[in-house]
């Protein structure tokens, strides 16, 4: 995980500012590996990193860190939030991956054993067969770390199966 200077973290805590933690090569590789491990377990092709999607995701992560809550900017997007510094990027992706336990291979929105598609929707987005690209952004603010990943083409398409 990218380390922030003590002065930057102090300023963020003192003034409520956002510490921007743009994805570097190491975090990009970590995020891709975490996503692609779930896809590989299903014999799906790996996702490619998209700088275009990452730029959009970063802008949205910065916004969410400033307001201190999660809300989607559109379809084809996964969001995660944790107390700053408590989770690695892979662990945040694994929050979505843990939804595999509730996933059933049905036609969207009938993809969850609980009857609520949202209980498996982050996982299904990561493994949606027709999705080929991902780009993510991460930001800290208000004591929180926010991860936003955007996918193209978006998954969770009404009436279609994930894979």
């Amino acid at each position: 995980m990218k380390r922030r200077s003590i002065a930057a973290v102090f300023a963020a805590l003192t003034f409520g500012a956002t510490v921007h933690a743009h994805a570097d090569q190491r975090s990009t590789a970590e995020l891709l590996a975490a996503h692609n491990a779930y896809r590989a377990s299903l014999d799906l092709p790996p996702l490619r990193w998209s700088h275009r999607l990452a730029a959009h995701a970063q802008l949205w992560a910065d916004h969410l860190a400033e307001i201190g809550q999660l809300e989607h900017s559109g379809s084809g997007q996964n969001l995660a939030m944790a107390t700053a510094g408590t989770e690695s990027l892979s662990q945040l992706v694994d929050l979505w991956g843990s939804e595999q336990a509730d996933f059933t291979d049905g036609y969207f929105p009938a993809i969850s054993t609980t009857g609520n598609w949202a209980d498996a929707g982050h996982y299904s987005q990561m493994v949606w067969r027709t999705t080929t690209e991902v780009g993510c952004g991460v930001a800290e603010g208000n004591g929180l770390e926010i991860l936003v990943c955007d996918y193209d083409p978006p998954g969770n398409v009404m009436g279609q199966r994930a894979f």
Side-chain angles (χ1 to χ4, degrees):
M1 178 101 87
K2 191 172 188 176
R3 295 187 188 262
R4 284 99 178 142
S5 74
I6 292 173
V9 172
F10 177 75
L13 293 173
T14 304
F15 303 111
T18 300
V19 178
H20 303 282
H22 300 276
D24 57 18
Q25 270 188 322
R26 188 170 142 230
S27 56
T28 298
E30 180 181 354
L31 287 162
L32 264 179
H35 277 84
N36 286 330
Y38 289 100
R39 294 178 67 86
S41 72
L42 299 168
D43 292 323
L44 295 171
L47 296 175
R48 295 182 312 271
W49 188 260
S50 164
H51 294 288
R52 174 184 58 83
L53 294 172
H56 179 267
Q58 186 62 58
L59 289 172
W60 196 246
D62 292 343
H63 168 72
L64 296 178
E66 288 175 14
I67 65 172
Q69 62 186 33
L70 296 181
E71 55 187 52
H72 289 278
S73 69
S75 63
Q77 185 176 74
N78 281 352
L79 309 174
M81 178 171 58
T83 301
T86 62
E87 306 287 333
S88 69
L89 295 175
S90 295
Q91 288 171 319
L92 291 173
V93 171
D94 287 342
L95 292 174
W96 304 327
S98 69
E99 295 176 2
Q100 182 178 13
D102 293 324
F103 179 80
T104 187
D105 188 21
Y107 292 91
F108 191 83
I111 61 165
S112 176
T113 59
T114 68
N116 180 0
W117 72 266
D119 292 338
H122 300 99
Y123 170 75
S124 63
Q125 175 57 82
M126 289 196 307
V127 299
W128 202 265
R129 178 176 294 284
T130 59
T131 297
T132 59
E133 295 182 313
V134 64
C136 304
V138 61
E140 288 184 16
N142 298 305
L144 301 170
E145 184 164 30
I146 307 287
L147 173 64
V148 175
C149 291
D150 287 344
Y151 303 85
D152 192 46
N156 295 337
V157 178
M158 194 65 66
Q160 293 185 13
R161 294 177 85 151
F163 45 85

